[in-house]
Amino acid sequence: MKKNRGAKVALAVLAVAGLALGTLSPANAATRSTVVIVDSNTFTSLNPSQPDHNLVLNGNVAYLSSMGFAYYNNKVDYVRNTAFGTYKITKRTASEFKVKYTVNKGVKWSDGTPITGVDLLLSHILSSNDYSIAAGLGDPASDTLQSFDSLGYNGAYNELIKDVSIASDRMSVVLTYKKFFPDWELYGPGPSPVHTLMALANGEKKLGTYPHNVALKSKFLTAYQSKDTATLKKIAKVWSDAYDITTVDSKTNPLLLVGNGPYLVSSIVKDQTVTMKLNPNYNSGPATSGIETVVFKTIPDSTAAAQALANKEVDVYEAIATADSVAALNKIGSAVNVDGFAISSYEHVEVRSGSAQGVKDKYTGPFAGYSQQAKDLRTAFLLAYPRQEIIDKIVKPVNPKAVVMNSLQYFPGETAYKKMVADSGAEKFTEGTQAQRTAAALALVKKYYPNAGTTGVKIKMLWGQPSNPRRAAEAALVKAEEAKAGFDVDITPTQGWSAFLEDNKYDVQFYAWSKTAVTQSGNYGSYKSTESQTGYENATVDEIVSSLETDVLTPAQIYAKYVAVEKILIADAVSIPIFQWPGVVAYNSDLKGMDPAPLSPTVLWNVWDWHF
Amino acid sequence: MFAYIMRRIGTLGVILLGSSFLLYNLAAISGDPIGELKISQDPRAKQQIIALTRELQLNIPPPFRYFLWLRGVLGIFVGKLDLGSTRTGESVGTAILSAIPTTLRLVFTASILAMVLGISVGIVTALRQYSKFDYSMTFVSFLLFSLPIFWVAVLLKQFMAIQFNNWLDKPTISLGALVIIGVVIGLIVASIAGGARRKSYSIFSAVALSTMVVLWILQKINWFLEPGFGPIFFFIASIGIAFGVTQLSVGINNKSALRSSITMAVVGLVFYYPTKWAFKLSNQTLVLLAMAALTLLSAVLVSLFFAKIDKIAIIRTSILTGIFMGLIRLLDQLMSTWPRFISTDAINYRPVPTVGQANSLLEPGDYWVTTLDLLMHLILPTVALTAISFAGYIRFARGTMLEVLNQDYIRTARAKGLSERTVIMRHAFRNTLIPLSTIIVVDFAGIIGGAIITEKVFGWKGMGTLFNMAINSFDLNLLMGVFFLTGTLSLMANLVADLLYSALDPRIRTGSGA
């Protein structure tokens, strides 16, 4: 009896102690499998291939929910996704160029339906003006709305690809090009779940059975091949409207959420969060490493995002890189890693040499034309441009390793960068100290304007929105240094500045170019006389860029052409780069596998490698 | 009167027309909606420019495009209001309709709190003019006036969310902190209470000491992880409420009123456990409605039982007591949900969020957990907005009350021998509310306009965010939609304020022209 009571007391004490321990030490030891990512946008559509909905967050959601034949990695290589399928050139003669894309047997949509070549055909409908016209879906080049409200029309795809046909086993498609094109890989087809599009067009509200889905696929193929306007228009309506939803819950039609990527949308709270869960049937790409739920949370304010990170509400935040934001993120402490990385945007300055094509009035400012005087004045302006000072005062607080960028094609750090700088003659603008360069510039200006030392040559500069403090600081530095070289620079900010890029009122403009893909023609397209916003005209540049855009070239030949263009641009003194934009990502230090890429979707590109 | 209203509405239309034309054109020339696309190297930018030009009719010059917009707006008279579509193709009407509830949820609570707190503190300072309390509240109100909201928000997030959550991991208060908290609270209470030096000292030491003791006990019983009142404290609080409400409403000398409020407190205690059971039922909305109805019913029955004369005043007193007790009971229920709430995977022992409207990872189904989550998301923005805006009400209420107290009719009321409570509550307070009512009406119209900065800092998407988005992305239709709504509302509110003033104050007549 007594013993029994003792045992009871001991048990009670243990139980109380256990309870107390249970309440005192939170049970947060379990392995996490949810990652919350900050995005400053709100979600507007499951289909980002429409012009209205081509927004970062929509694109990121689509990136996670679909896998195609290739993607960019963090070294800017275009990696082939062999888990999904393969592609190879099947015919290449002077007049013919054909590429065959084959989907692997066994890869599946999330509803279990096998992915076949039929699923690759929609991208042709979405990008080919010719097909759209032939199938009676409207002329995308006209001003009226087409059946498919697609972003793909009127682009290079339409100019290059003649036809897409399906192979007899229905696992492959063959793209027939009008002629060979160096960047053909970027215009390959992507998979779309056409059976769900057909089902949605029929008004179905539930996932179909396997035979039903296969039958729907065949019907789509027939419609594609016979250019059945009525059926295609029904699909177009679904494709253009049905995916524009901002709320997803249990009442949402599951047909809209079918995909083949690692994560699929499971719920969306309007303007707040997009929740994506692991796709149980995922076998179209690299295997995931343990993250089961990815949440995109909309936080427009950068301070709010940093504090949410400190409060462990979010795990990943790609910040707008300013000195303040980096300082705030670093202050959070060891719970958060802050990594800088380079993004594929670069600030550059362009000096006007003429009127852009299509602009009626003639540019008559001090930099007009290609006479020795105009060239000297442009050279003087660029010599006095305080690039090192801009980097020291504006970029280094964000990225301490930042350096002046001296090639319009290669970023500092890329393998070819050093050689290019040596070969292109970039030292014309880097020799000596800034004071020496400015003095040389003043001497050049004084040749034509002897009074430049006292009354400067009037220059108007375009640089952007007054609300952008970094640009305002840059402009102020430029004004101060150019004054010493005999230029009186007007840096009045311009509301809606980008509308004035072709405006002859402005003699100089600086802004950033942002790369979205790596192409053989590189970054020089905007210096062709047909494209140049500052009216630059040079027959040799036009010829080289056209050749880069269309010819089959070896890497050595490509490099030689790049050097040739840069040499001419430097000699004509029309444009120099300033710096590469820094990016910064802050994330929960428990999260492993983060390795951001320069090109979109930057931090997300290897989400399958992430784990806690 | 009718002619006056019609005339005012006529002017309102002209003002709206003129200002919308001006704003439309100014906004249109301020930026280029496709500017960013023009400098984009994205090969698909061209197609985007074509699509946007088509959908936003950018090829028509703004002064003419305005009339296209106006045609859609004038559709309101045939029941087909069309405010155009945003850049992303969403109808502006839909966007605004989905933003209004968010804005109301955020700004409405804060405004009500600011009004109630501001007006009551303002009136008390007026009653104690030139006292320590008056001076300290004047200081506080000017301090709050001058604080920028984004900075307040950052501080609140740092201390009330991040630090609090960290602290909650191991919720103990060190001895030093205990003493500091006690002294600070003691000083505040003593300065509010005022009075002679000796009284001040005793109040200070009593409050400081009891604060320390209470906090020490609370942390010993692990109250911060498992908070709650329990039936005993619920009853004590109810008795306190009963006395307080009776005093303010009819005076403590009205025995029947006091008896009926105290009976309400007893009834509340009796129903403590039954409500605990009811809160576990499945349809909580219904349960809450039923409880509200039961509270009202019992308040009426109890007061009818006690009241002999002046029944209405006593019923009012009991109902007020019942409402406050109900709020305390709800608070207790929320507290008892707390342990369940913070131990969910989605919350993971960090209950105070800094951003957003709700935690989307929380499993739905538990009514009280979801409610608590919504409240936790509401708490920081509400505190920030209230802190900023209630200072204005303090100053205004104080000034008006002082002016009213100097009126002849107050002296007359006192000379008649009315009790101080009757003079203040019935003669002074009611007349103070007349000018305040006009401010409140205009402020409410402003509420719909949203709180641009607060919404942005706390990641809420209401009217303020829409306005901000419209400006930043040069979304003209969205901008005009927000302007149309807020402009109309504020003009209407001015009209309503004028009419209300004339209705409340018989000395003022509208419209006769004389």
Side-chain angles (χ1 to χ4, degrees):
Chain A
M1 195 63 184
K2 238 182 188 176
K3 248 187 193 167
N4 206 348
R5 190 195 254 171
K8 267 185 185 164
V9 169
L11 202 69
V13 167
L14 270 178
V16 168
L19 269 178
L21 276 177
T23 48
L24 282 178
S25 52
N28 45 10
T31 320
R32 288 196 56 195
S33 61
T34 300
V35 57
V36 185
I37 303 168
V38 175
D39 203 297
S40 59
N41 290 274
T42 51
F43 183 84
T44 67
S45 173
L46 289 162
N47 179 2
S49 307
Q50 307 172 79
D52 291 354
H53 298 284
N54 182 29
L55 304 169
V56 178
L57 179 54
N58 298 347
N60 286 346
V61 170
Y63 181 80
L64 293 191
S65 52
S66 60
M67 286 298 296
F69 285 99
Y71 53 86
Y72 278 112
N73 71 2
N74 58 341
K75 297 189 182 65
V76 203
D77 302 322
Y78 202 55
V79 182
R80 295 190 178 197
N81 177 19
T82 48
F84 177 74
T86 52
Y87 53 96
K88 58 173 194 279
I89 297 172
T90 52
K91 194 164 208 177
R92 182 162 151 195
T93 64
S95 60
E96 273 189 292
F97 181 60
K98 287 186 178 186
V99 185
K100 185 176 184 182
Y101 285 82
T102 307
V103 178
N104 291 348
K105 282 218 164 61
V107 291
K108 280 186 220 153
W109 293 109
S110 57
D111 62 356
T113 313
I115 303 175
T116 66
V118 181
D119 294 309
L120 303 176
L121 297 172
L122 187 72
S123 60
H124 185 61
I125 305 182
L126 295 176
S127 305
S128 169
N129 289 22
D130 300 340
Y131 186 93
S132 180
I133 295 166
L137 301 172
D139 178 7
S142 72
D143 280 347
T144 49
L145 181 62
Q146 303 320 304
S147 306
F148 282 94
D149 188 13
S150 166
L151 198 52
Y153 294 129
N154 295 317
Y157 185 99
N158 179 55
E159 285 163 26
L160 294 163
I161 292 159
K162 199 167 22 176
D163 184 43
V164 175
S165 59
I166 191 153
S168 56
D169 67 348
R170 290 196 179 173
M171 289 309 279
S172 311
V173 293
V174 176
L175 269 68
T176 309
Y177 287 71
K178 291 172 186 164
K179 58 175 186 225
F180 176 78
F181 173 68
D183 296 317
W184 59 270
E185 271 191 275
L186 300 178
Y187 297 93
S192 314
V194 292
H195 60 284
T196 61
L197 278 169
M198 291 293 285
L200 286 164
N202 291 342
E204 291 173 30
K205 299 227 153 47
K206 277 197 297 241
L207 294 178
T209 57
Y210 177 80
H212 179 59
N213 288 341
V214 172
L216 285 174
K217 267 199 208 306
S218 300
K219 277 191 194 150
F220 175 81
L221 180 61
T222 318
Y224 172 81
Q225 285 170 332
S226 62
K227 301 194 172 68
D228 174 354
T229 312
T231 310
L232 289 174
K233 275 199 167 162
K234 271 205 280 178
I235 296 173
K237 180 138 184 54
V238 168
W239 190 89
S240 309
D241 296 339
Y243 289 92
D244 299 346
I245 50 176
T246 51
T247 303
V248 169
D249 52 27
S250 54
K251 291 190 278 295
T252 306
N253 191 340
L255 287 166
L256 293 170
L257 307 176
V258 171
N260 72 330
Y263 301 94
L264 300 173
V265 171
S266 76
S267 78
I268 297 176
V269 182
K270 185 171 163 53
D271 302 330
Q272 293 284 313
T273 50
V274 178
T275 307
M276 303 182 78
K277 290 237 154 81
L278 199 60
N279 171 5
N281 283 328
Y282 172 62
N283 61 356
S284 299
T288 57
S289 309
I291 301 295
E292 283 177 8
T293 310
V294 177
V295 180
F296 291 98
K297 195 174 174 96
T298 299
I299 304 179
D301 183 69
S302 59
T303 317
Q307 287 193 303
L309 196 63
N311 199 25
K312 297 182 180 161
E313 284 170 79
V314 298
D315 300 302
V316 180
Y317 169 47
E318 191 187 340
I320 300 154
T322 65
D324 290 344
S325 70
V326 174
L329 291 170
N330 277 324
K331 240 185 270 167
I332 296 174
S334 62
V336 166
N337 288 353
V338 184
D339 287 357
F341 64 100
I343 56 178
S344 59
S345 292
Y346 61 97
E347 197 96 332
H348 78 302
V349 51
E350 274 183 41
V351 185
R352 182 169 298 283
S353 50
S355 299
Q357 283 203 352
V359 176
K360 286 189 192 82
D361 60 331
K362 200 168 172 324
Y363 172 63
T364 54
F367 299 140
Y370 303 93
S371 63
Q372 194 57 42
Q373 172 177 353
K375 274 188 200 173
D376 281 351
L377 287 174
R378 288 201 295 264
T379 307
F381 189 86
L382 293 182
L383 274 174
Y385 206 89
R387 292 193 293 167
Q388 189 60 49
E389 194 184 359
I390 289 170
I391 282 153
D392 291 343
K393 292 194 174 151
I394 294 165
V395 191
K396 277 204 175 150
V398 182
N399 180 7
K401 287 176 273 179
V403 291
V404 172
M405 185 169 155
N406 277 314
S407 160
L408 288 163
Q409 171 61 29
Y410 296 112
F411 288 124
E414 278 187 75
T415 339
Y417 175 77
K418 274 198 179 138
K419 190 165 158 46
M420 167 63 94
V421 173
D423 292 349
S424 68
E427 77 268 9
K428 177 178 173 189
F429 296 113
T430 56
E431 261 177 338
T433 63
Q434 185 61 54
Q436 288 168 337
R437 288 195 292 272
T438 308
L442 182 61
L444 274 178
V445 178
K446 275 196 170 160
K447 262 171 54 187
Y448 308 99
Y449 295 90
N451 295 332
T454 44
T455 50
V457 183
K458 289 217 177 318
I459 297 293
K460 198 162 166 56
M461 183 155 77
L462 180 69
W463 58 270
Q465 219 64 281
S467 57
N468 185 332
R470 194 191 55 220
R471 290 251 160 85
E474 264 181 84
L477 291 178
V478 172
K479 183 182 169 67
E481 191 65 29
E482 295 287 355
K484 295 181 202 157
F487 289 106
D488 179 9
V489 185
D490 176 3
I491 55 165
T492 316
T494 316
Q495 274 293 348
W497 63 283
S498 51
F500 298 94
L501 285 166
E502 297 190 346
D503 194 321
N504 286 337
K505 255 197 323 234
Y506 298 95
D507 306 293
V508 186
Q509 48 210 31
F510 75 83
Y511 57 95
W513 278 128
S514 180
K515 270 197 205 184
T516 53
V518 179
T519 58
Q520 183 174 298
S521 57
N523 300 342
Y524 304 117
S526 56
Y527 298 104
K528 280 209 296 194
S529 44
T530 47
E531 298 290 325
S532 173
Q533 289 163 323
T534 45
Y536 181 58
E537 275 179 48
N538 186 305
T540 321
V541 171
D542 286 355
E543 195 184 306
I544 299 175
V545 176
S546 307
S547 156
L548 281 167
E549 281 170 350
T550 52
D551 293 351
V552 190
L553 300 164
T554 65
Q557 287 172 317
I558 295 170
Y559 178 77
K561 285 183 189 282
Y562 285 174
V563 173
V565 178
E566 293 235 350
K567 268 189 176 159
I568 297 170
L569 292 176
I570 287 168
D572 282 346
V574 286
S575 176
I576 48 172
I578 307 170
F579 59 84
Q580 181 178 17
W581 274 18
V584 63
V585 61
Y587 56 96
N588 186 334
S589 50
D590 296 334
L591 184 66
K592 305 287 182 288
M594 176 72 64
D595 198 358
L599 292 175
S600 166
T602 55
V603 299
L604 270 185
W605 79 272
N606 67 339
V607 80
W608 43 77
D609 291 334
W610 293 4
H611 60 93
F612 277 101
Chain B
M1 188 72 175
F2 179 73
Y4 171 78
I5 295 177
M6 288 324 285
R7 205 166 60 231
R8 283 288 297 266
I9 291 180
T11 7
L12 192 148
V14 174
I15 292 175
L16 272 180
L17 211 62
S19 56
S20 62
F21 181 76
L22 215 65
L23 184 72
Y24 193 95
N25 286 291
L26 285 176
I29 56 174
S30 78
D32 182 4
I34 51 174
E36 281 200 15
L37 294 169
K38 280 186 186 158
I39 58 157
S40 169
Q41 276 187 326
D42 190 336
R44 301 171 305 177
K46 197 175 151 202
Q47 181 65 14
Q48 276 179 282
I49 292 175
I50 294 177
L52 272 177
T53 309
R54 180 184 63 230
E55 274 154 36
L56 303 177
Q57 293 163 311
L58 296 178
N59 44 357
I60 303 173
F64 301 108
R65 220 189 312 148
Y66 168 79
F67 290 99
L68 289 178
W69 177 81
L70 188 65
R71 192 177 64 190
V73 174
L74 292 180
I76 197 169
F77 293 113
V78 292
K80 271 196 302 184
L81 179 65
D82 177 17
L83 292 170
S85 63
T86 67
R87 285 175 69 112
T88 57
E90 190 183 12
S91 145
V92 170
T94 322
I96 288 178
L97 280 183
S98 79
I100 287 178
T102 308
T103 293
L104 283 183
R105 180 137 59 98
L106 176 69
V107 193
F108 193 78
T109 331
S111 301
I112 295 284
L113 265 179
M115 283 168 195
V116 172
L117 273 180
I119 292 174
S120 38
V121 172
I123 283 173
V124 175
T125 49
L127 295 178
R128 305 232 169 124
Q129 200 185 3
Y130 305 137
S131 67
K132 268 185 215 150
F133 178 66
D134 187 20
Y135 284 127
S136 42
M137 281 328 288
T138 306
F139 172 73
V140 168
S141 60
F142 278 113
L143 183 74
L144 293 179
F145 246 150
S146 54
L147 293 183
I149 184 116
F150 56 86
W151 187 71
V152 173
V154 168
L155 290 189
L156 282 177
K157 285 179 182 188
Q158 186 61 35
F159 295 109
M160 281 177 64
I162 300 172
Q163 304 271 16
F164 178 77
N165 288 338
N166 289 344
W167 174 77
L168 211 57
D169 197 35
K170 205 165 172 272
T172 51
I173 309 170
S174 69
L175 196 66
L178 214 59
V179 170
I180 292 172
I181 294 171
V183 167
V184 168
I185 291 182
L187 278 177
I188 292 172
V189 174
S191 86
I192 290 176
R197 180 164 294 178
R198 195 151 158 212
K199 189 181 157 203
S200 270
Y201 281 139
S202 51
I203 288 178
F204 165 75
S205 41
V207 170
L209 212 70
S210 51
T211 308
M212 287 184 236
V213 170
V214 167
L215 280 179
W216 187 79
I217 294 176
L218 287 181
Q219 64 151 315
K220 275 294 151 197
I221 60 170
N222 206 17
W223 193 82
F224 296 102
L225 286 176
E226 291 166 356
F229 288 136
I232 298 164
F233 283 95
F234 173 63
F235 184 63
I236 294 173
S238 304
I239 293 288
I241 288 169
F243 274 94
V245 169
T246 312
Q247 163 65 7
L248 285 180
S249 168
V250 289
I252 207 90
N253 293 330
N254 189 330
K255 290 292 177 246
S256 343
L258 189 61
R259 276 185 202 127
S260 84
S261 328
I262 290 178
T263 315
M264 280 303 287
V266 176
V267 171
L269 181 66
V270 170
F271 276 99
Y272 185 83
Y273 283 102
T275 49
K276 201 166 184 156
W277 165 81
F279 284 137
K280 287 184 186 133
L281 295 178
S282 58
N283 192 341
Q284 283 296 316
T285 324
L286 208 66
V287 168
L288 287 176
L289 280 176
M291 275 182 199
L294 268 177
T295 312
L296 284 184
L297 187 70
S298 51
V300 172
L301 287 180
V302 165
S303 26
L304 282 182
F305 179 76
F306 284 104
K308 291 178 187 67
I309 48 162
D310 209 5
K311 285 183 182 156
I312 297 297
I314 295 176
I315 291 177
R316 186 185 66 205
T317 311
S318 305
I319 288 179
L320 278 176
T321 313
I323 289 173
F324 283 116
M325 276 166 51
L327 290 178
I328 297 269
R329 183 66 190 90
L330 287 182
L331 190 63
D332 187 40
Q333 168 61 19
L334 285 171
M335 282 179 171
S336 66
T337 316
W338 184 261
R340 196 159 83 236
F341 169 71
I342 59 174
S343 60
T344 51
D345 278 351
I347 304 297
N348 199 15
Y349 296 91
R350 297 193 73 83
V352 188
T354 60
V355 78
Q357 287 162 234
N359 191 328
S360 61
L361 289 169
L362 213 55
E363 297 290 331
D366 190 329
Y367 180 87
W368 290 100
V369 166
T370 359
T371 307
L372 202 51
D373 180 54
L374 287 179
L375 288 175
M376 293 316 285
H377 279 89
L378 202 56
I379 204 160
L380 290 190
T382 305
V383 170
L385 273 180
T386 309
I388 298 294
S389 55
F390 96 122
Y393 287 106
I394 296 184
R395 301 310 296 163
F396 200 85
R398 181 178 180 274
T400 321
M401 186 72 176
L402 282 176
E403 199 184 310
V404 171
L405 281 177
N406 286 329
Q407 296 290 332
D408 286 343
Y409 56 79
I410 298 291
R411 197 180 313 141
T412 316
R414 287 208 171 104
K416 275 198 295 192
L418 292 180
S419 73
E420 187 63 14
R421 196 199 65 79
T422 316
V423 174
I424 303 293
M425 292 303 284
R426 201 163 293 168
H427 293 78
F429 179 60
R430 290 189 183 181
N431 282 306
T432 311
L433 289 183
I434 296 176
L436 275 171
S437 64
T438 58
I439 297 198
I440 290 174
V441 171
V442 177
D443 276 3
F444 262 107
I447 286 176
I448 300 291
I452 298 177
I453 299 171
T454 317
E455 282 178 18
K456 184 169 184 215
V457 176
F458 288 102
W460 286 55
K461 197 177 171 197
M463 294 295 285
T465 312
L466 278 195
F467 188 66
N468 199 10
M469 261 171 49
I471 291 174
N472 283 326
S473 58
F474 304 111
D475 203 332
L476 197 50
N477 283 338
L478 189 55
L479 181 73
M480 291 309 291
V482 175
F483 165 79
F484 176 69
L485 183 75
T486 50
T488 313
L489 275 177
S490 62
L491 288 173
M492 291 297 277
N494 270 308
L495 175 60
V496 170
D498 287 354
L499 295 177
L500 197 65
Y501 211 116
S502 78
L504 289 176
D505 192 339
R507 289 170 300 186
I508 292 169
R509 285 276 165 271
T510 42
S512 60

